[in-house]
Each structure stands twice: as structure tokens, then as C-alpha cells.
Amino acid sequence: MRAVRHQPDRKYELRDHVGAFGERTRKKAPPAVTHAEAFYYLKQLESQTPLVFRLRDGEEIRGVLDWYDRDCFRVNLEEGGHVVLRKAAIAYLHKAPSSPEPSPPASDGDAEPDPA
């Protein structure tokens, strides 16, 4: 039986590469802060998108984002008024599902008989 050598996963290795002036440099790690979260909140705030906030205790809050900062959201509630939510109390948030449009009533003359 042959011994199989394990090849390390090179996908996550930092490799040396040659810079613009011929010096050897290390690839830099990706940035820790991408500002994607702030961009998402700003987009939802500007478009007045209805959101659903699911809190860690299971409560669900529905409303539109009014403002946010590093630690909190202020949400204008669907039923009126507003509430300030701490980000630490939120399990997750998502866009509120849009209400389905009513389908036109089916007429009896066009429907095919049920083969039962």
C-alpha cells in the first residue's frame, strides 16, 4: 500500500509575488471593514423599503428605516409611531414581502372539467 501525501490547501496561503519595481511583496489580506452594511442600510433608508426586524426574543417589528447609527436603528412602524432598536437586540432583518396582487376570478365557462 502506498502512502498518500496530503497536499495543503493552497487557496488560503499568502503567496509571495513580484511588485511593480521587482521587489518581492506579500499579498495583503482583504479589508476588515467594507462598508457594505452601511451601504445596504442607506439604500433601504432612501428607498423607504418596508422591513421586518426579527428580535432575539422572537418578536417581529415591521416598519420603514428612519435613521441608523453604529448601534441603533429608528424604525417608523406600519401602525404609526416609531421605535428605536439596538442592533444587539436584532437577530436578523429582511425586506417585508410584498402583498400578492389579487388574481382575476376564474370564469366557469373557460375552466376545464376536473377529471376526478
Side-chain angles (χ1 to χ4, degrees):
M1 187 162 149
R2 257 178 27 178
V4 178
R5 283 181 38 185
H6 175 70
Q7 295 293 325
D9 189 5
R10 298 198 186 276
K11 181 177 176 182
Y12 299 107
E13 279 185 11
L14 290 176
R15 291 181 222 117
D16 289 336
H17 69 279
V18 179
F21 298 106
E23 75 279 2
R24 295 187 80 65
T25 59
R26 304 277 283 163
K27 284 189 178 181
K28 293 184 172 108
V33 178
T34 61
H35 304 290
E37 182 181 12
F39 176 75
Y40 177 77
Y41 297 146
L42 185 61
K43 183 178 174 185
Q44 304 315 315
L45 190 143
E46 288 176 348
S47 65
Q48 295 293 296
T49 306
L51 298 170
V52 178
F53 295 83
R54 175 69 69 154
L55 304 183
R56 294 193 185 276
D57 65 1
E59 184 180 355
E60 194 172 89
I61 308 247
R62 293 173 173 267
V64 176
L65 189 60
D66 186 26
W67 61 259
Y68 68 93
D69 66 8
R70 188 183 62 177
D71 299 320
C72 299
F73 293 113
R74 177 178 164 165
V75 180
N76 289 332
L77 303 174
E78 287 180 345
E79 56 272 355
H82 66 270
V83 66
V84 175
L85 301 173
R86 292 187 53 83
K87 286 184 180 179
I90 300 171
Y92 62 91
L93 67 100
H94 60 89
K95 291 181 184 178
S98 59
S99 59
E101 294 185 21
S103 58
S107 62
D108 293 333
D110 294 338
E112 294 185 28
D114 192 18

